[in-house]
Amino acid sequence: MGAQTGKEHPRRLAEIDNSQEQRIETGIGEFDRVLGGGITKGSIILVGGDPGIGKSTLMMQMARSLMTVRILYVSGEESAKQIKMRAQRLGMSNEDFSVLSETNVEAVLDAAREHQPDILIIDSIQTMFRSMIESAPGSVGQVRESTALLMQYAKTSGVPVFVIGHVTKEGSIAGPKVLEHIVDTVLQFEGERTHAYRILRAAKNRYGSTNEIGVFQMTSEGLMEVPNPSEIFLSERQDGSSGSVVSAILEGTRPVLLEVQALVSASYFNNPQRTITGYDQRRTSMLLAVLEKRLGIRISQSDVFINIAGGLYIDEPAVDLAIAMAVVSSHRDVPANPGTCLIGEIGLGGEVRAVPQPEMRVQEALKLGFEHIIVPKANLKALDRMTKGKKISGIDRVGQAVDLLF
Ligand code: TYD
Ligand code: MG
């Protein structure tokens, strides 16, 4: 929203009218939460993800949910007929949903100014081009300039613009990171193509927090919301197998229970393998070193595989204790008590450290029927009110978890 040179003057906050900052709620709860409470007028939102992950489907379902909102869907990827087929498959009920097959951004914007949609969707930015630029669609210059023009349109018209961007092999959206600076919000749609779960997260959001995630499941009827991710993430857990432990993490404001799996086996390599999926590699090496040094668990000559079930990536250390205990369980080949949930960060000395918001985590674990919850001792006080009649153990050394679990 560029100021008009020479026309602006300083204003007190009270003089600034922000009542126009209304949002359009998509009606898809998981989506609205990640957006920070709906779509902000005049914002430009990049939706990134691997090809085939479900970006177009998500946009289409948003359009379906916004029944009375006027939507213009511009596709440079699929023909209008293909889009109609997909819309029919998804049971499109929005009668004010229009499709435009066009890749020239200037033409797209001319059409948008005439059509006057409430929401504009561009699928995908890699197919768009500006005639004044020589390079091919998808190149850095084209992607940047096309986005800049769409940005201008969003800001001047107040129409929110969704821009789909495929993640390139280097892992960044639209190749260069430049786009992320231009747009207001960057949503990443993640998941394994071979798994049904899809996680939507905000990597950047000028209009909300970046901590929230939305969880979906891809089905033959499109993306389904998963309002209780814990149940899903734990659903395939097999009681009684070694190397499986449950922890409670926080994704934004929501606690999520998940299964940590470890497999420790004799190595046939000079450099034993360390394959970690869903958690920081170096942090995991630290945890293995702590186990070896503080508990005398000899794993330096073993291959260690660690996996966070369900395809989540965890970026908080509260899962440390669960990872360590999954490793011990697999190393000993003794299953951990399946009704136990572990929460705690581990320090280099083998001490168990407090985690933020223990109440929410413990509540979720109790809700899902876990009967024994192991938490950092330093967190016990905060849990005072919920410990009555419940088996909640506070520990301050990692070795104590081993004694309690096995
Ligand atoms: P799509 O939205 O086309 O992915 P993107 O736009 O990110 O490239 O979705 C791709 C996959 O989703 C495709 O392989 C088919 C699958 N899919 C379903 O399983 N069910 C459905 O209802 C739809 C529409 C797609
Ligand atoms: Mg697509």
Side-chain angles (χ1 to χ4, degrees), residues 50-57 73 75 77-78 86 123-124 164 166:
D50 287 330
I53 204 74
K55 302 181 293 299
S56 303
T57 307
Y73 191 102
S75 181
E77 306 230 326
E78 291 164 304
R86 189 199 294 251
D123 189 0
S124 65
I164 292 183
H166 295 296

Side-chain angles (χ1 to χ4, degrees), residues 29-47:
E30 295 291 301
F31 193 24
D32 285 333
R33 182 178 34 245
V34 177
L35 285 168
I39 307 163
T40 307
K41 295 252 166 95
S43 67
I44 182 157
I45 300 152
L46 179 65
V47 181

Side-chain angles (χ1 to χ4, degrees), residues 101-363:
S101 278
E102 176 61 72
T103 53
N104 180 321
V105 194
E106 285 116 1
V108 166
L109 291 181
D110 285 344
R113 283 189 195 102
E114 191 174 328
H115 187 76
Q116 300 197 340
D118 297 320
I119 296 177
L120 176 65
I121 301 169
I122 306 292
D123 189 0
S124 65
I125 195 63
Q126 274 98 349
T127 59
M128 296 293 142
F129 74 96
R130 289 186 71 172
S131 44
M132 53 170 273
I133 297 176
E134 302 259 311
S135 55
S139 65
V140 177
Q142 286 290 11
V143 163
R144 190 175 45 210
E145 291 307 315
S146 300
T147 308
L149 209 58
L150 290 164
M151 176 79 166
Q152 221 173 33
Y153 167 76
K155 297 303 167 200
T156 52
S157 67
V159 174
V161 179
F162 282 89
V163 173
I164 292 183
H166 295 296
V167 171
T168 58
K169 286 187 201 75
E170 301 84 52
S172 54
I173 292 168
K177 284 263 177 192
V178 284
L179 268 197
E180 302 194 3
H181 300 293
I182 308 178
V183 301
D184 296 311
T185 301
V186 179
L187 302 183
Q188 279 165 0
F189 210 22
E190 301 166 354
E192 309 277 330
R193 274 191 76 171
T194 47
H195 279 64
Y197 307 118
R198 301 282 181 269
I199 290 161
L200 186 70
R201 66 172 83 236
K204 165 181 175 179
N205 195 353
R206 285 193 182 134
Y207 302 106
S209 133
T210 51
N211 290 322
E212 303 291 351
I213 62 165
V215 184
F216 298 87
Q217 195 170 4
M218 181 62 94
T219 71
S220 56
E221 275 113 63
L223 293 159
M224 297 291 166
E225 293 184 70
V226 178
N228 294 311
S230 299
E231 285 169 23
I232 293 276
F233 291 139
L234 296 181
S235 64
E236 285 167 288
R237 186 165 180 242
Q238 298 189 325
D239 281 357
S241 68
S242 68
S244 161
V245 166
V246 171
S247 189
I249 57 150
L250 281 185
E251 285 286 356
T253 52
R254 183 163 57 166
V256 175
L257 294 200
L258 46 83
E259 178 189 1
V260 176
Q261 298 178 318
L263 183 67
V264 179
S265 66
S267 181
Y268 299 99
F269 299 95
N270 288 333
N271 287 317
Q273 297 183 72
R274 299 278 182 264
T275 307
I276 321 295
T277 312
Y279 200 51
D280 184 66
Q281 182 97 24
R282 271 190 271 180
R283 181 135 197 114
T284 311
S285 301
M286 184 277 274
L287 294 175
L288 298 179
V290 168
L291 288 178
E292 181 121 11
K293 183 97 177 174
R294 307 291 170 196
L295 299 184
I297 294 169
R298 303 184 52 82
I299 34 181
S300 55
Q301 296 309 310
S302 305
D303 290 335
V304 178
F305 304 89
I306 288 170
N307 179 41
I308 306 290
L312 271 183
Y313 185 90
I314 315 299
D315 57 6
E316 63 156 352
V319 76
D320 282 354
L321 190 59
I323 291 185
M325 290 309 109
V327 169
V328 174
S329 166
S330 177
H331 177 256
R332 296 191 173 180
D333 202 16
V334 176
N337 182 343
T340 307
C341 174
L342 293 120
I343 302 160
E345 172 180 347
I346 297 178
L348 288 181
E351 75 277 19
V352 175
R353 299 171 159 260
V355 301
Q357 316 245 36
E359 314 89 312
M360 288 175 73
R361 304 174 201 255
V362 169
Q363 228 157 35

